[in-house]
Amino acid sequence: METNRRDFIKKLSVAALGTGLIATGATAATGIATNVNFISRPKLPKVNVSSSRVIKETVGLRPFRKNGPRIEKQDLGDKTIVHNYGHGGSGWSLSWGTSLIASELVDQTQEKKIAVIGCGVIGLTTAITLQQKGYEVVIYTKDSYPNITSAMATGTWSPTSRLILPQHVTPEFASMYQKASTHSYRTFQRLLGINQVVEWMDNYSIHTGKVQRADYSNELMSKLGTPSFIYPKGVPLNRRENPFKFDNVSKNPTTIFNIPAYLKMMKSDFLIAGGKVEIKNFKSPEDIDALPQKCVVNCTGLGSQEIFGDNDLMPVSGQLCFLIPQPELTYRASMEGVYFIPRKDGIMIGGNGIDNNWDLTPDPAVKDKYLSGVEEMMKRLRS
């Protein structure tokens, strides 16, 4: 018994001595406890990159207008049309805000029974916003999830992505944008913790010096007077903080949307609150005129080109590639125009945009570029 006790004390003393030697060595070298700095670098799990792990590829079409989204009233015979479409790559981010503005235009009509055309994110947020004001709402749509453009979106907070050409920004548009982005941001924060439909995560931007085709988001952020609290700027990382073997890396927190769960939740909320969804295809203003409701909110996105003859609309295609989900991934990263975002439905990889392209066929070369880009990031991720 006494021998065991002596062994225990001996081992304890050696452990304490070893700890002292490590601390003393670090202190002697720098004058401070530098071993704390070693711990400060985050250890990030790696994305398992392989073509064999690709579970789906999609191409979505962003409804872009060079003058920005159309949010206004239009008289059509004895009906009032309230337009809410053309958000480019900012539809998810601005959905609640532009829906609020559209609902204020509906308020001016004195109608209580409202038709909403379109069941994507803009149609659903518009319908729910109107319900919350006491309106009786019916959604008319030719398709619903998953066969809608909104299901093909990136699902990240990007309120200035392909929103408007910078040269077309007016003070009135900037004011509208500030109201819409602020309301949307605050609404999303209230959704945190509900079925994980909205989450915060760290975003790492790796800067290699190569010039990439931009979507003028950064220029618009400044020109539109984006409130700083809704778009945290990236902070350059020093070597102790940088998890990548690249010299120029910045980090900022950002919001992502888990699109499948979010779309299903919104549709369920709408139906539970008494809303109705009817499958109906629209090809002309005459089809709109045939509806029983006197006030119609148009949220058809690119469909407005055919229905209302809006030739300012242009599709901007975006290809996405999904890898098998990895629940341990809690960060996103981008480099040279390629990004990955871990979502519940897969690790989404994207980064391209082709103006005026209606083709929904995935390009194998784009997929290979995506996989190579993420693979290069993972090769330079410190273990």
Side-chain angles (χ1 to χ4, degrees), residues 73 80 82 99-112 114 126 129-135 179 295 297:
K73 283 196 308 179
T80 299
V82 174
S99 294
L100 173 66
I101 295 170
S103 75
E104 292 171 347
L105 297 176
V106 172
D107 292 340
Q108 300 172 12
T109 69
Q110 306 301 314
E111 296 289 336
K112 293 302 178 184
I114 311 298
T126 298
T129 299
L130 290 169
Q131 279 184 328
Q132 292 171 345
K133 288 188 168 188
Y135 290 99
K179 177 178 179 178
C295 181
V297 186

Side-chain angles (χ1 to χ4, degrees), residues 76 79 81 117 140 280-293 296 306-308:
L76 182 67
K79 282 185 167 52
I81 311 298
I117 309 175
Y140 296 94
K280 188 175 179 62
N281 199 6
F282 297 88
K283 292 184 176 296
S284 68
E286 287 73 25
D287 295 329
I288 305 290
D289 194 49
L291 294 175
Q293 293 87 353
V296 179
E306 178 182 12
I307 300 171
F308 293 98

Side-chain angles (χ1 to χ4, degrees), residues 53-363:
R53 294 180 64 84
V54 174
I55 54 177
K56 64 179 176 180
E57 297 175 71
T58 64
V59 176
L61 303 179
R62 307 173 183 94
F64 173 73
R65 300 177 81 247
K66 63 182 180 181
N67 292 307
R70 185 182 183 188
I71 310 169
E72 62 183 12
K73 283 196 308 179
Q74 176 188 6
D75 291 329
L76 182 67
D78 64 345
K79 282 185 167 52
T80 299
I81 311 298
V82 174
H83 296 288
N84 185 15
Y85 69 88
H87 298 69
S90 304
W92 274 89
S93 299
L94 295 180
S95 56
W96 290 106
T98 61
S99 294
L100 173 66
I101 295 170
S103 75
E104 292 171 347
L105 297 176
V106 172
D107 292 340
Q108 300 172 12
T109 69
Q110 306 301 314
E111 296 289 336
K112 293 302 178 184
K113 295 183 178 182
I114 311 298
V116 172
I117 309 175
C119 199
V121 64
I122 300 297
L124 286 168
T125 53
T126 298
I128 291 171
T129 299
L130 290 169
Q131 279 184 328
Q132 292 171 345
K133 288 188 168 188
Y135 290 99
E136 183 180 325
V137 185
V138 178
I139 293 177
Y140 296 94
T141 180
K142 68 175 182 179
D143 277 313
S144 59
Y145 177 81
N147 302 314
I148 52 176
T149 300
S150 292
M152 311 296 179
T154 300
T156 189
W157 176 251
S158 55
T160 58
S161 175
R162 291 181 171 85
L163 178 63
I164 183 175
L165 290 180
Q167 61 267 35
H168 292 296
V169 172
T170 64
E172 292 76 19
F173 185 89
S175 178
M176 181 279 293
Y177 162 81
Q178 291 166 16
K179 177 178 179 178
S181 59
T182 300
H183 179 73
S184 282
Y185 176 84
R186 288 172 175 164
T187 302
F188 284 127
Q189 302 319 302
R190 292 196 295 270
L191 293 172
L192 287 168
I194 303 176
N195 300 326
Q196 294 182 310
V197 296
V198 179
E199 297 181 284
W200 278 92
M201 68 172 49
D202 285 334
N203 172 52
Y204 292 89
S205 299
I206 301 170
H207 312 282
T208 63
K210 291 185 179 180
V211 178
Q212 300 296 317
R213 178 184 182 275
D215 66 356
Y216 39 84
S217 290
N218 290 334
E219 182 180 352
L220 283 177
M221 269 192 277
S222 174
K223 202 160 189 176
L224 291 169
T226 302
S228 59
F229 70 91
I230 72 169
Y231 224 141
K233 291 183 178 180
V235 177
L237 301 179
N238 60 39
R239 192 177 186 283
R240 291 181 284 103
E241 301 165 324
N242 186 355
F244 293 93
K245 297 176 183 178
F246 291 97
D247 293 334
N248 191 355
V249 178
S250 60
K251 182 177 78 169
N252 67 289
T254 191
T255 307
I256 67 163
F257 316 121
N258 287 303
I259 287 179
Y262 194 178
L263 285 172
K264 293 192 73 174
M265 185 186 79
M266 284 195 293
K267 185 176 179 181
S268 295
D269 288 350
F270 172 72
L271 294 173
I272 290 171
K276 296 179 181 179
V277 176
E278 294 188 19
I279 302 299
K280 188 175 179 62
N281 199 6
F282 297 88
K283 292 184 176 296
S284 68
E286 287 73 25
D287 295 329
I288 305 290
D289 194 49
L291 294 175
Q293 293 87 353
K294 297 295 183 183
C295 181
V296 179
V297 186
N298 171 35
C299 305
T300 57
L302 286 169
S304 295
Q305 189 178 79
E306 178 182 12
I307 300 171
F308 293 98
D310 187 347
N311 293 321
D312 285 338
L313 266 173
M314 175 182 72
V316 179
S317 66
Q319 183 170 327
L320 299 175
C321 171
F322 288 78
L323 303 179
I324 295 172
Q326 290 180 239
E328 71 274 18
L329 293 176
T330 57
Y331 70 99
R332 57 165 289 180
S334 63
M335 182 181 74
E336 297 179 358
V338 175
Y339 59 78
F340 69 84
I341 302 174
R343 293 190 340 202
K344 303 303 179 185
D345 56 330
I347 303 166
M348 184 191 60
I349 311 175
N352 80 328
I354 305 176
D355 292 347
N356 207 26
N357 178 42
W358 291 92
D359 190 357
L360 298 177
T361 306
D363 183 348

